[in-house]
């Protein structure tokens, strides 16, 4: 069964304090791993897609990496506006078009 | 270009009532999905469609119906609302099977 586990559930950082969010996954034939950002009262907003181990993607202060078992979302020198819930999802071969989501990591950045 | 539009944004129902949650996208996407999001549970797939006239069940389909008569619209019907269906419902669409999904801003549904 395809599964996604995100850790930690919640993370509090000071502005400028870099850290990483983890997404561990079990999937039969990874077709893609997706990172989303979700603000309160809004729908998830797409950040990155990773397709194969070793791949990396960057956007502003965010960098996503992928291994065969997990993905990391590295946040460098975060700002208060980076506060949000970050969701990880995988698409496996057996699931067809379905995405399996983790429960998310809620990030709070204080100034 | 509005993306994915969901209506209504908020709704309160009584147990046993029926209603339809609307979802429309203007990106000509073939794939559309409905998810529900509950505290501590993450997003769970209810139903999805891979094109007009084609739908299939997701992880939690019981109590919900869908149809896809056009590429643009993918309504979700609650047949007889139950308190367990209190949730936030998100509609999403994507162009091909491995492209990222674009989400609407959700419908917050409370069933008393």
């Amino acid at each position: 069964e395809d599964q996604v586990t995100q850790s930690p559930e919640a993370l509090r950082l000071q502005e400028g304090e870099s850290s990483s969010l983890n997404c561990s996954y079990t999937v039969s034939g990874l077709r893609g791993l997706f990172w989303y950002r979700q603000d309160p009262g809004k729908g998830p907003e797409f950040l990155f897609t990773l397709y194969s181990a070793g791949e990396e993607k960057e956007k502003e202060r965010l960098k996503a990496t992928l291994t065969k078992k997990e993905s990391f979302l590295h946040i460098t020198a975060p700002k208060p506006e980076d506060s949000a819930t970050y969701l990880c999802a995988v698409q496996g071969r057996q699931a067809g078009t379905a995405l399996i989501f983790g429960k998310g990591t809620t990030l709070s950045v204080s100034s | 270009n509005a993306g994915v539009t969901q209506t209504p944004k908020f709704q309160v129902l009584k147990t046993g009532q029926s209603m339809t949650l609307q979802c429309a996208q203007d990106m000509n996407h073939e794939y559309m999905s409905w998810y529900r999001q509950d505290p501590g549970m993450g997003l769970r797939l209810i139903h999805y469609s891979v094109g007009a006239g084609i739908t299939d069940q997701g992880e939690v389909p019981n109590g919900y119906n869908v149809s896809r008569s056009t590429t643009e619209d993918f309504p979700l019907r609650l047949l007889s609302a139950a308190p367990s269906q209190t949730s936030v419902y998100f509609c999403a669409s994507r162009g091909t099977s491995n492209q990222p999904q674009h989400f609407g801003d959700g419908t917050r549904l409370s069933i008393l």
Side-chain angles (χ1 to χ4, degrees), chain B:
Chain B
N1 189 346
V4 178
T5 302
Q6 292 184 239
T7 57
K9 294 188 183 303
F10 302 93
Q11 184 70 48
V12 179
L13 292 178
K14 293 182 179 178
T15 297
Q17 287 185 313
S18 63
M19 81 159 293
T20 299
L21 280 62
Q22 302 291 345
C23 175
Q25 53 92 7
D26 60 0
M27 297 172 283
N28 201 33
H29 284 170
E30 289 296 321
Y31 294 82
M32 296 186 75
S33 304
W34 276 102
Y35 293 85
R36 60 178 289 174
Q37 188 174 40
D38 302 291
M41 297 291 292
L43 282 156
R44 292 182 292 169
L45 182 65
I46 304 171
H47 285 286
Y48 66 96
S49 169
V50 298
I54 307 170
T55 64
D56 206 347
Q57 296 180 352
E59 179 185 357
V60 288
N62 292 340
Y64 308 95
N65 272 357
V66 292
S67 60
R68 185 95 179 273
S69 57
T70 67
T71 299
E72 295 78 18
D73 300 299
F74 190 42
L76 178 72
R77 297 181 187 85
L78 277 69
L79 309 173
S80 178
S84 61
Q85 294 178 303
T86 293
S87 187
V88 182
Y89 291 84
F90 288 101
C91 179
S93 74
R94 55 181 161 170
T96 63
S97 63
N98 62 349
Q99 285 184 331
Q101 296 195 71
H102 299 267
F103 285 82
D105 279 339
T107 293
R108 284 143 189 84
L109 182 63
S110 293
I111 299 165
L112 307 177

Side-chain angles (χ1 to χ4, degrees), chain A:
Chain A
E1 181 181 342
D2 298 346
Q3 281 189 332
V4 177
T5 303
Q6 292 188 246
S7 61
E9 290 185 12
L11 181 63
R12 292 183 180 274
L13 299 174
Q14 293 288 323
E15 185 172 4
E17 180 186 2
S18 301
S19 188
S20 298
L21 282 56
N22 178 263
C23 172
S24 297
Y25 65 90
T26 304
V27 65
S28 53
L30 180 70
R31 295 178 63 186
L33 184 142
F34 303 85
W35 281 99
Y36 288 85
R37 169 192 171 124
Q38 186 174 23
D39 293 301
K42 295 289 188 179
E45 175 187 350
F46 170 72
L47 293 173
F48 303 109
T49 308
L50 302 167
Y51 293 105
S52 58
E55 190 174 359
E56 298 181 352
K57 295 273 181 74
E58 283 190 71
K59 179 181 180 181
E60 296 181 354
R61 295 176 292 282
L62 300 177
K63 179 180 178 181
T65 62
L66 181 65
T67 72
K68 289 186 177 180
K69 294 184 178 181
E70 58 191 350
S71 177
F72 291 94
L73 185 64
H74 305 278
I75 303 176
T76 302
K79 298 181 177 181
E81 53 262 42
D82 294 322
S83 297
T85 296
Y86 291 85
L87 303 174
C88 173
V90 298
Q91 183 182 14
R93 193 175 300 119
Q94 285 192 353
T97 65
L99 291 186
I100 307 300
F101 279 85
K103 297 178 181 179
T105 293
T106 300
L107 174 66
S108 299
V109 182
S110 56
S111 56

